[in-house]
Amino acid sequence: MSLVLIEDIDPAIRVLTLNRPDKRNALSIALMDELRLAILSTQADLARRVIVLMGAGPVFCAGLDLVEASDSSLAHQSAQLLASLYETICTSPLIVIAAVHA
C-alpha cells in the first residue's frame, strides 16, 4: 500500500494524499520519506505549478508519529526526516496548498 497517493488533476496540478487513515495520517518515517520524494519528483516536472496536500479519511494529519518519535532508536531519524520534509516544502518553487478538512 502506498503511503502517498498521487493524482494529476491537470498538467499543472498534482494532488498528494497522505494515506494512513488508520493512524490519522501521522507522519511516520516511511510516510515522510515517500512524501518528500513525491514533492521532489513533482518539482522536476516543469509543467507542474501547484501541489495540493490532502489527507485520506476524516483527519488531514495528526502530526508526527509519536510511536516512532518516542523510540530512541528511531527518534533521531524521525526528527531529521521531518526537518528535511519541511525544508522541501518551504523551498519548493511550486505553490503548495494544504487542503485541510475539519
Side-chain angles (χ1 to χ4, degrees), residues 55-66:
V59 176
F60 172 70
C61 179
L64 194 59
D65 185 320
L66 297 178

Side-chain angles (χ1 to χ4, degrees), residues 31-43 85 88:
L31 174 58
M32 288 187 286
D33 189 46
E34 197 171 320
L35 180 57
R36 189 180 65 79
L37 292 174
I39 292 168
L40 291 173
S41 76
T42 302
Q43 290 174 184
L85 174 60
T88 300

Side-chain angles (χ1 to χ4, degrees), residues 1 8 13 15-16 28-30 32 37 56 66 68 79 87 90:
M1 174 176 87
D8 294 331
I13 302 170
V15 176
L16 303 177
S28 66
I29 289 169
M32 288 187 286
L37 292 174
L66 297 178
E68 287 184 356
E87 182 177 15
C90 290

Side-chain angles (χ1 to χ4, degrees), residues 40-63:
L40 291 173
S41 76
T42 302
Q43 290 174 184
D45 182 346
L46 298 178
R48 300 288 171 199
R49 299 287 176 253
V50 178
I51 296 172
V52 179
L53 298 177
M54 298 181 68
V59 176
F60 172 70
C61 179

